[in-house]
Each structure stands twice: as C-alpha cells, then as structure tokens.
Amino acid sequence: MKLLDGIKLSNEIKIDIKRQVQALKKHDITPGLAVIIVGDDTASMTYVNMKSKACDTVGIYSIVHKMPANINEQKIIDTINMMNNNDNIDGILVQLPLPNNIDESKVIQAINPQKDVDGFHPFNIGSISLKLDGFIPATPYGVIKLLKQYKIELKGKNVCIVGASNIVGKPLMSLFLNEYATVQICHIYTKNLKQHTLNADILCVAVGKINLITSDMIKEDVIVVDIGINKNEQGKLVGDVDFDDVSKKCEYISPVPGGVGPMTIAMLLDNTIKSAKKRKKDE
Ligand code: NAD
C-alpha cells in the first residue's frame, strides 16, 4: 500500500502559487479572495480560518465577512454584489452550509461566475460537464490532481464514487468522465453498495460516515480516495474508509487527515490565481 500524500503535493502547489502571486504583484495585481460566513458553526469557522491562513502564506489578500445566523438573505446577496463589483476581489466564496432559512442556491447564483472560485455556480458546473473552461470545484479538482501526480491512469478505469452531492460527488463524476473513465455514482438510496464498490478500480468516497467502507467491499489493489471528514469518539479526524482494514488490501489510499483536505485548499488558491490572471489580460 502506498499513500496518496496530499500534504506534499499541496505544499508544492502552494510554492508555485506563491511564485505566481509575486509575478502578478510586479503588475500591481494582488490577488484577492472574499469569504462570506454566516452563523457561528465551529467546523465552518475552522475551514474559513484555514483558507485565510493559506491565502496569507502565498500572498493572496483575503477578507472574511462574518454575518449572524439570523441575517436576511438579501443582505448576503448585497454583500456578494459589492464583492462582484470590487475590482480588487478576484474570488468570492460563501462557506457552506448556510442556515436553513437561507436559499443556498439563490445565494450561490448571486456570485459572478467569473469570480466563483468554489466552482458551485450552475455556469461553472455546466462548464465542467461540457469540458469547457471554468472554475472546477476545489475538492474534486484536488482529487484528480492527486491521482495524476501519482501517474494513475484514469482512461478506461472503472470508477465508483460514493456520495452524489452537488459540491463533491457530481462534479467529480464529470471530471472522471472527461478523463474517459467509466463512472458509477452511488448515494443513500443505492441498493447493495458493496456490489458497486467491488467493481471499482478507483473508489472515491464522500459521504461523511465513519467506516462506511471496509476491506470486504473492495477488490485487491484498488485505489482508494477518502474524501470524508469526520470526528471519531476520541475527537480525532477520520475519513469514511476504515483505513487500517482497507489499507492492507489496496494499492493506494489517501489518508485523513493529509489527503484530499490539503489539496482542496491548494486548488482554491489555484482558482483564485486563475481569476486574478484574467485581470492582467484585461489590462
Ligand atoms: P452531503 O451530505 O452533501 O452528501 C453526502 C452524500 O452521501 C449524498 O449524496 C448522500 O446520498 C450520500 N450518502 C449518505 N449516506 C450514504 C450511505 N450510507 N451510502 C451511500 N451514500 C450515502 O456531503 P458533502 O458535502 O458531499 O460531503 C461529504 C463528505 O466529504 C463529508 O464528510 C464532508 O466533510 C467531506 N468533505 C471533505 C472535503 C475535503 O476537503 N476533504 C470537502 C468537502 C466535503
């Protein structure tokens, strides 16, 4: 078993991004990211802080707009519009989930697709499914980058994705299809999950359920990408895959922490730089 090391690759990407930021600064462009967070969910705050810290490390300017959970939807949209019209802001992201009283899709659709560095706007989701240029959601983008770094062939492979959310599973399905893999996507109503996972050459899991995948559900020498993030009873971060059990049987596995998580942040920075570079072209 070999590890898909997301820390090593994300650090390499961040070094390269830092270089690109320095080059942009020579053209008087400081890439800027605006993050909007609504409510005081601890996990969301942690993610936002990690994103801001990563921006600082590479020299991207970042601003966090904190809003109370009871805020009116229009106020969030007004803030997004302000950022849409701010030439110093290249990327806008709204930390999800939003409180139940707020229409998530309406808020996401308020973001200018040219600044939608999370890639959740229908325009960008559509672009990736048509293999057109657009922002690729950071987590699925990170998964593909990680597999490519280890020179894992995707063409013609049987890929099974467990989890079909709009932000992870579905865009990941499009990305694998674009690489000519054969994709099966499973979700909570999938009957006999094991029958599908056993067929996989590459298994990606994004559910949010500890030990959902065990060694009896995979074939020998499979490549496992664990996207899930959970806290176990001891308060330790773990994925959706029973790591100790599955790692004995697979060829590669991404650890949690240290796999897809750091890649997600690196790809968000990459999207922000991509957006800032458009400013240079527009000069
Ligand atoms: P979500 O709740 O939006 O979607 C979960 C998906 O899993 C749904 O499609 C649901 O149908 C499916 N599902 C639920 N129970 C299932 C079961 N028993 N069998 C098969 N499918 C089942 O979640 P999400 O936002 O896509 O996140 C999924 C996981 O990935 C979470 O643990 C989240 O924390 C993690 N995540 C990690 C990163 C990262 O950077 N590593 C980024 C985003 C999400």
Side-chain angles (χ1 to χ4, degrees):
M1 179 278 294
K2 287 165 267 183
L3 282 184
L4 296 168
D5 187 346
I7 296 179
K8 184 166 176 274
L9 178 56
S10 67
N11 283 338
E12 286 166 15
I13 293 171
K14 281 193 265 182
I15 289 169
D16 185 49
I17 288 174
K18 198 170 179 175
R19 228 177 276 133
Q20 295 181 59
V21 172
Q22 281 159 358
L24 282 166
K25 283 185 176 169
K26 286 189 186 135
H27 294 266
D28 285 330
I29 295 170
T30 299
L33 175 71
V35 180
I36 296 170
I37 174 160
V38 184
D40 46 18
D41 178 71
T42 326
S44 292
M45 271 315 299
T46 307
Y47 293 136
V48 167
N49 289 338
M50 282 161 75
K51 288 168 190 177
S52 298
K53 207 172 140 214
C55 283
D56 285 350
T57 315
V58 298
I60 293 177
Y61 161 75
S62 74
I63 177 163
V64 179
H65 291 272
K66 283 190 195 139
M67 297 180 151
N70 62 355
I71 194 137
N72 163 304
E73 193 175 274
Q74 191 53 45
K75 288 238 171 75
I76 306 175
I77 293 175
D78 291 344
T79 307
I80 292 175
N81 281 332
M82 213 166 69
M83 295 297 117
N84 282 339
N85 295 319
N86 182 339
D87 293 339
N88 294 318
I89 294 297
D90 302 286
I92 303 167
L93 77 83
V94 178
Q95 186 65 40
L96 300 180
L98 288 172
N100 290 337
N101 56 317
I102 293 163
D103 183 343
E104 212 162 87
S105 84
K106 205 166 152 193
V107 168
I108 288 170
Q109 286 181 56
I111 301 172
N112 176 347
Q114 308 297 327
K115 294 191 177 188
D116 169 42
V117 288
D118 249 348
F120 297 163
H121 190 287
F123 179 92
N124 286 309
I125 293 288
S127 296
I128 61 165
S129 71
L130 297 172
K131 217 177 174 178
L132 298 172
D133 194 28
F135 291 114
I136 303 171
T139 302
Y141 191 10
V143 169
I144 299 291
K145 271 265 178 197
L146 195 54
L147 292 171
K148 287 195 170 176
Q149 174 70 12
Y150 286 85
K151 307 212 175 350
I152 292 165
E153 177 73 50
L154 306 180
K155 196 189 284 180
K157 290 287 172 70
N158 287 337
V159 174
C160 177
I161 301 169
V162 187
S165 70
N166 289 341
I167 63 170
V168 186
K170 284 191 213 164
L172 188 56
M173 175 192 73
S174 296
L175 295 180
F176 275 118
L177 270 178
N178 289 346
E179 298 289 338
Y180 305 104
T182 303
V183 191
Q184 272 185 318
I185 181 152
C186 304
H187 46 79
I188 191 150
Y189 296 113
T190 299
K191 289 179 190 145
N192 197 352
L193 182 62
K194 184 174 165 179
Q195 175 196 319
H196 299 279
T197 56
L198 271 173
N199 192 36
D201 303 314
I202 301 173
L203 174 64
C204 299
V205 194
V207 170
K209 202 165 173 220
I210 297 177
N211 293 342
L212 179 69
I213 304 295
T214 43
S215 63
D216 58 310
M217 298 171 77
I218 57 163
K219 62 182 186 187
E220 289 281 345
D221 294 335
V222 68
I223 292 150
V224 178
V225 183
D226 192 354
I227 302 164
I229 303 177
N230 311 287
K231 250 190 194 160
N232 70 10
E233 280 169 2
Q234 290 78 45
K236 201 177 142 223
L237 277 192
V238 293
D240 290 345
V241 176
D242 183 344
F243 185 89
D244 293 338
D245 182 31
V246 167
S247 58
K248 290 184 198 125
K249 202 172 169 186
C250 60
E251 185 183 0
Y252 282 99
I253 186 165
S254 69
V256 179
V260 177
M263 288 303 297
T264 296
I265 299 210
M267 301 333 288
L268 169 70
L269 302 177
D270 190 72
N271 277 344
T272 307
I273 293 298
K274 183 177 168 189
S275 181
K277 281 184 177 164
K278 287 198 193 119
R279 252 207 268 175
K280 194 171 150 213
K281 283 188 200 133
D282 294 344
E283 267 177 356

